[in-house]
Amino acid sequence: MVLGCVAVLLLTAIAGVLQYRWTNFASESHRRQGREAMRGTLRNFSDDFRDTLRQLPPFFRPSPDEKNDAALEQYMFESARRWHSTADHPQLLDSVSIGTKSDKGVIFRRLKTGDNQFKIEDWPNEFGAYRRVLEERLRLAGGELPLFPNGFAFEFFQGRPVLIFPLVTDASDWKRPGDTMNESPPSQQLLQPREWLQSLKPAASPGADDAPDLRGWCFLEVDNDYLRQYVITELVVRHYGTGARYQVAVVASPPLSLIYGSDPTLTIESMSLVDAGIVLLEANISQARRGPAPVPSGPRPFVAGPQGAPLSAIRDNRGGGDDLNWLLVVKNKGGSIESLVENARLHILLFSSIMLVLLAGSSVMLMLATARARRLAQQQMEFVAGVSHELRTPLTVIQSTSYNLAQGTIQDPSRVQQYGDVIQREARRLINQVERMLSFAGIQSGRRVYDLQPTDAIEIAERSLAEYAVPFAEDGWQIEQHFAEDLPLVLTDGPALESSLKNLFDNALKYAAQGKWLSVRARTAQGTKGREVQITVADRGPGIAPKDLPHIFEPFYRGASETAATTSGAGLGLCLVERTLRALGGRVTVQSARGEGTSFTLHLPVS
Ligand code: ADP
């Protein structure tokens, strides 16, 4: 049994360790999957966003043969019209500007959406670097034209994204966007346009080389309101749903400002710590995504740890400086992936631990129940054997004695009398035994009903003792009786009390024969539930072994002493006494000392 419990506990501990390791492993892969999914969504969002903007330049890139300024202007005007009638997001374009160089100097012309002609404006200071390239005929180190490696650059003009590409005159040297993509060294992939322009050197004097001339620049300015209200909103719904799980924002910096918030309550402060993000847009000249682009070519998504990350962490993650940029940031409404996975892990661990404890508990209970059932079955077998033995002894005596009488072999009247007494005694033993078994069966099934009446306990004690007077006298017992005067009546069932006392006398005869001394006392005392009458039956027998003492009131329990082993009995006597007393509203207690004797006290409630 103990071994079984230890085995169950050991198995539970092993299962617990395996469960713990498995949960950690599963959580780790969930965490990894979650982070990867988050990164993938950010990357897709960013690609879709850039793809939308990237649709603009092909519409406006003129043929290099458009040598004439008026023709170029007309071409741009037509392109804008074509854009508005055929593009997916016609309102995305706010204005088309061209900055060209002629004999009279540089001119900046802008065609606002809705206008029907270009208007000459001052060259914006923000685009001063582009003006200088034209004026000073700046070229790459080898004297080549300053064509952007991938055809165009992103810049910000008054906070609005602008796409810029060069206008060249000679078709033979025209490097179409994408043509140079695979040739451009990786170091050029994330160049900042201003830095790149500043690295240019003045070319030889005009006409000194055969290089085609850079005619000017085209600036495509994006409508921020449209970008915010339609493009970003649509992308957020496409990639993050309608906002049940995530808060999504697009933040411009520096200075920090909110370009877009998926939730009207979102503020820059509320997004100061985010779960993930990616640089959506920044001034650079590498935006094309054609051909088999290497994976790290785009902006790198950032997924924060359990505590979230400040916006600066996402900016730093791209490895750039403090140039103006737009960040797409995401906050999981239910907490970061880390904390969600951690919560789920703790819940799984808690539930699996509870399950394991329950499993271990029920296994132990099952083992206990099985052991108990086995013990009961064993006891019942012993009971049947004991009862059969108990019944057989008196029956054998009765049978042989009555046979002798019937055969007429016993003639002497005194001997006949003696034989009659034997038959009577054995018959009484038989009746007692049968009664005991019936009582036990009655109590067990709950059929036994007690008739509680105010009863004189002394009368019952004396009557019971009188019935045992002969056996005690035959063995030479010394009997002492002490009944307190004015003992109150007790509320009890007389016959039930009588049979309990007889059980105690019976046991004294069986187990305390060495002392041959019996005392029966009755007195009033204050019990746990009020005043009670206590009847104590004490003997000077061998006493009860301490290991037997807690069990003697259990059904079928028999002491391990030698006397008990050689004495008839089924282990029901004291069990009956205990259950009867309980049913009568009282109780039985025992005191025993090895070698000194045993005393049982019946506690009966006063009437
Ligand atoms: P049984 O007498 O059939 O064994 P009981 O329920 O009457 O069953 O008693 C249970 C056990 O308690 C006995 O087997 C015996 O070991 C012990 N016992 C009972 N009464 C006494 C007593 N007066 N002195 C010593 N041992 C006793």
Side-chain angles (χ1 to χ4, degrees), residues 390 433 436 503-504 507-512 539 541-545 548 551-554 556-561 563-565 567-576 592 597-600:
E390 283 289 285
Q433 197 62 37
R436 212 175 271 186
N503 264 318
L504 298 180
N507 278 352
L509 274 173
K510 282 199 289 188
Y511 304 111
D539 61 52
I544 301 172
D548 288 335
H551 304 291
I552 52 172
F553 295 111
E554 290 171 13
F556 309 116
Y557 188 86
R558 304 215 62 212
S561 71
T563 330
T567 315
S568 64
L572 281 179
L574 289 180
C575 165
L576 280 173
S592 186
T598 307
S599 75
F600 291 95

Side-chain angles (χ1 to χ4, degrees), residues 440-468:
F440 179 72
I443 289 175
Q444 274 299 89
S445 62
R447 268 184 282 114
R448 176 84 198 252
V449 183
Y450 297 94
D451 179 21
L452 300 184
Q453 298 288 343
T455 312
D456 184 354
I458 299 177
E459 191 190 315
I460 301 278
E462 280 176 338
R463 196 164 60 222
S464 321
L465 202 53
E467 281 204 33
Y468 275 79

Side-chain angles (χ1 to χ4, degrees), residues 374-414:
R374 204 179 300 141
R375 207 172 53 237
L376 268 176
Q378 174 77 18
Q379 283 176 348
Q380 277 164 2
M381 285 300 293
E382 282 170 11
F383 170 69
V384 171
V387 162
S388 313
H389 178 77
E390 283 289 285
L391 297 182
R392 201 181 57 190
T393 313
L395 281 175
T396 314
V397 175
I398 290 171
Q399 197 248 350
S400 60
T401 322
S402 55
Y403 175 82
N404 287 343
L405 284 176
Q407 290 299 309
T409 45
I410 313 295
Q411 298 291 341
D412 183 5
S414 66

Side-chain angles (χ1 to χ4, degrees), residues 585-603:
R587 65 199 169 102
V588 56
T589 52
V590 60
Q591 278 184 326
S592 186
R594 291 296 268 172
E596 289 178 22
T598 307
S599 75
F600 291 95
T601 304
L602 308 183
H603 303 251

Side-chain angles (χ1 to χ4, degrees), residues 35 38 42 240 246-251 256 258 260-262 266-279 301-317 327-339:
R35 291 173 77 98
M38 199 84 162
L42 286 169
Y240 291 102
Y246 299 100
Q247 286 185 316
V248 184
V250 175
V251 177
L256 271 179
L258 194 68
Y260 166 88
S262 62
L266 270 185
T267 58
I268 276 287
E269 290 73 35
S270 69
M271 294 304 270
S272 56
L273 277 181
V274 294
D275 293 324
I278 191 168
V279 173
F302 179 87
V303 180
Q307 310 303 330
L311 295 176
S312 56
I314 297 156
R315 270 210 319 277
D316 296 348
N317 185 51
L327 302 178
L328 169 70
V329 287
V330 180
K331 215 171 169 174
N332 200 328
K333 284 183 177 170
S336 67
I337 297 178
E338 304 284 334
S339 55

